Amino acid sequence: MKKEKLLSQVKIGQKVRITGFNIKLETKGTLISMGIIPGDELEVISKSPFGSPISFKHGLNNFFALRKSQAELIEVE
């Protein structure tokens, strides 16, 4: 079994699966409206030199970026 960690801790090129959100309902709703839900697979594409923002690939052709503070609220395995 893989150890759960936060999305902000994932290295460039790694693929992870979202296991849950550690956030209040408003922010959770924003992520869900973007189509980011538990069970989805993400790949880290890039990180800025200071760690924020972080770019992700979601699915085949969907790309998005999150602030590091937002990525710290998403649990992955």
Side-chain angles (χ1 to χ4, degrees):
M1 179 179 257
K2 294 181 182 180
K3 182 180 176 185
E4 287 192 20
K5 57 185 170 181
L6 301 177
L7 187 55
S8 61
Q9 300 170 326
V10 178
K11 298 184 186 300
I12 295 172
Q14 283 187 309
K15 292 182 181 180
V16 293
R17 185 168 312 280
I18 297 173
T19 58
F21 302 116
N22 183 17
I23 50 181
K24 61 184 177 180
L25 186 59
E26 180 181 319
T27 306
K28 183 177 179 179
T30 301
L31 292 171
I32 291 172
S33 71
M34 292 172 55
I36 303 165
I37 58 174
D40 285 355
E41 188 175 281
L42 302 176
E43 179 181 355
V44 178
I45 301 299
S46 66
K47 292 185 176 185
S48 74
F50 298 106
S52 185
I54 305 169
S55 300
F56 302 94
K57 181 177 181 183
H58 177 240
L60 297 176
N61 295 311
N62 298 316
F63 298 88
F64 67 95
L66 294 174
R67 293 181 184 100
K68 184 178 179 183
S69 60
Q70 293 169 315
E72 289 173 342
L73 302 173
I74 300 173
E75 300 167 349
V76 297
E77 62 178 8

